[in-house]
Amino acid sequence: MVIFGPFDDIWARLKHENPNTSLNIFFVYLRLSRRFDCEEERARDFDSRCRLIPVIMESETKPTFSKSTGLPRKRFYRARAHSNPLSDSHFPIPISPSHVDFSLHFPKFIGSNNEVSKKVEFADIGCGFGGLLISLATLFPDTLMIGMELRDKVTEYVKERILALRKTNSGGQYENISVVRTNSMKYIPNYFEKGQLSKMFFLFPDPHFKEKNHRRRVISIDLLDEYAYVLRAGGIIYTITDVEELGEWMRSCLEKHPMFESLTENELDSDPVVELLCSATEEGQKVARNGGQTFRAVFRRIAYVS
């Protein structure tokens, strides 16, 4: 019976070499194989192309979660380093903070009225792969915090990572953190009420080196107006980068804004969060491994005086 026409002989030989070969693997094999002009060339290259079969079988059967740690494998959630925050993205956007259903993010904190008993206080803007959130979760176990990330695959990775940590750790650990896919440069007021947050983090943001792209930077005078709106008086905004020019830019914007003042060295030394700015995130760890410099700016939101 003819199954694949001219490929019958290849199918038979593949089954002989690899009895576990399925039709799906065979079709993938055909797609990866080069097209040949004659049967002789196809036969001559057959042995080398058979080496593709174990690789294909491994990729089909290997789970996206590590068997040893139970955590998702980052290699299956590849994404671009940065996204354009000014482009239009297609994901649901709440009309106002009252329309955000945080019970989906923090089920362990649902009260008798089927609503979350606490409000989110920490926001990690551009949270990346969630390293800072994971570290803060145990440092502030009673504080709700959320990461905001624009890239869909990275958001999915952080979500799976948090769910896996909740399963593998007892005592309600990591129930106080979550992640949402959104564009924080556009929709911060859609998620948080006035004066709701006590901490905001902007760690290793995209530098957007070209002057024409500076408007894409996540720290600017105009955006600081929105951040000051959602931060309570005494709330702290943390920024860090390994790009000196960007570090000076962010510090300059914060110094020029009337609603922020810099923390003193004594205040920085006594803040347990400051040392996590470099060590907790993947970007910070990469900079440390390469012996690079970091440029930090930590400012307090002051009370409005009319």
Side-chain angles (χ1 to χ4, degrees), residues 104-225:
L104 301 176
H105 296 271
F106 310 104
K108 295 295 184 181
F109 289 85
I110 298 177
S112 56
N113 57 352
N114 291 327
E115 294 183 358
V116 177
S117 57
K118 295 183 176 183
K119 292 185 177 181
V120 174
E121 293 190 37
F122 294 2
D124 185 7
I125 310 302
C127 66
F129 292 99
L132 180 67
L133 286 174
I134 303 301
S135 299
L136 291 175
T138 53
L139 191 61
F140 300 92
D142 298 322
T143 302
L144 298 188
M145 53 195 83
I146 196 162
M148 311 186 86
E149 176 60 49
L150 183 56
R151 295 166 293 174
D152 55 346
K153 288 186 179 180
V154 177
T155 304
E156 188 63 26
Y157 171 84
V158 178
K159 190 181 301 181
E160 295 292 345
R161 183 179 183 183
I162 292 173
L163 292 175
L165 286 171
R166 289 177 179 179
K167 291 179 181 179
T168 55
N169 291 271
S170 59
Q173 282 188 311
Y174 305 104
E175 296 287 349
N176 59 329
I177 58 175
S178 188
V179 65
V180 62
R181 186 191 178 205
T182 190
N183 189 336
S184 54
M185 289 179 62
K186 293 183 177 181
Y187 307 117
I188 278 283
N190 297 61
Y191 286 88
F192 307 116
E193 300 172 356
K194 180 179 180 180
Q196 177 177 335
L197 300 178
S198 61
K199 295 184 187 296
M200 294 183 73
F201 301 90
F202 301 83
L203 310 188
F204 301 97
D206 189 338
H208 293 294
F209 291 104
K210 295 181 180 179
E211 186 174 353
K212 67 177 183 179
N213 290 331
H214 284 182
R215 61 197 178 103
R216 298 181 182 179
R217 288 181 170 177
V218 72
I219 295 291
S220 67
I221 294 293
D222 294 335
L223 286 173
L224 284 175
D225 291 341

Side-chain angles (χ1 to χ4, degrees), residues 13-160:
R13 295 175 68 180
L14 282 176
K15 289 294 289 183
H16 176 72
E17 295 288 337
N18 297 275
N20 294 327
T21 301
S22 65
L23 288 178
N24 287 337
I25 295 175
F26 177 64
F27 289 135
V28 173
Y29 164 82
L30 290 179
R31 288 198 299 269
L32 292 177
S33 299
R34 294 183 299 159
R35 295 173 180 261
F36 292 92
D37 295 332
C38 62
E39 287 291 330
E40 290 77 8
E41 288 191 44
R42 186 185 299 118
R44 187 167 58 248
D45 198 61
F46 177 78
D47 291 336
S48 62
R49 285 181 290 134
C50 277
R51 297 169 188 167
L52 292 171
I53 299 301
V55 177
I56 298 170
M57 294 176 65
E58 181 184 13
S59 64
E60 284 199 353
T61 58
K62 183 174 289 186
T64 57
F65 288 79
S66 170
K67 293 182 178 180
S68 59
T69 64
L71 299 177
R73 298 168 181 262
K74 194 183 296 183
R75 54 182 287 194
F76 292 99
Y77 299 85
R78 298 294 185 187
R80 296 180 62 182
H82 302 284
S83 294
N84 181 7
L86 301 184
S87 63
D88 293 329
S89 301
H90 303 284
F91 45 76
I93 302 163
I95 300 174
S96 68
S98 61
H99 289 82
V100 183
D101 187 3
F102 282 114
S103 64
L104 301 176
H105 296 271
F106 310 104
K108 295 295 184 181
F109 289 85
I110 298 177
S112 56
N113 57 352
N114 291 327
E115 294 183 358
V116 177
S117 57
K118 295 183 176 183
K119 292 185 177 181
V120 174
E121 293 190 37
F122 294 2
D124 185 7
I125 310 302
C127 66
F129 292 99
L132 180 67
L133 286 174
I134 303 301
S135 299
L136 291 175
T138 53
L139 191 61
F140 300 92
D142 298 322
T143 302
L144 298 188
M145 53 195 83
I146 196 162
M148 311 186 86
E149 176 60 49
L150 183 56
R151 295 166 293 174
D152 55 346
K153 288 186 179 180
V154 177
T155 304
E156 188 63 26
Y157 171 84
V158 178
K159 190 181 301 181
E160 295 292 345

Side-chain angles (χ1 to χ4, degrees), residues 261-276:
E261 64 179 7
S262 179
L263 268 66
T264 65
E265 287 299 323
N266 289 335
E267 289 173 323
L268 291 174
D269 293 338
S270 61
D271 189 343
V273 175
V274 172
E275 64 182 50
L276 294 177

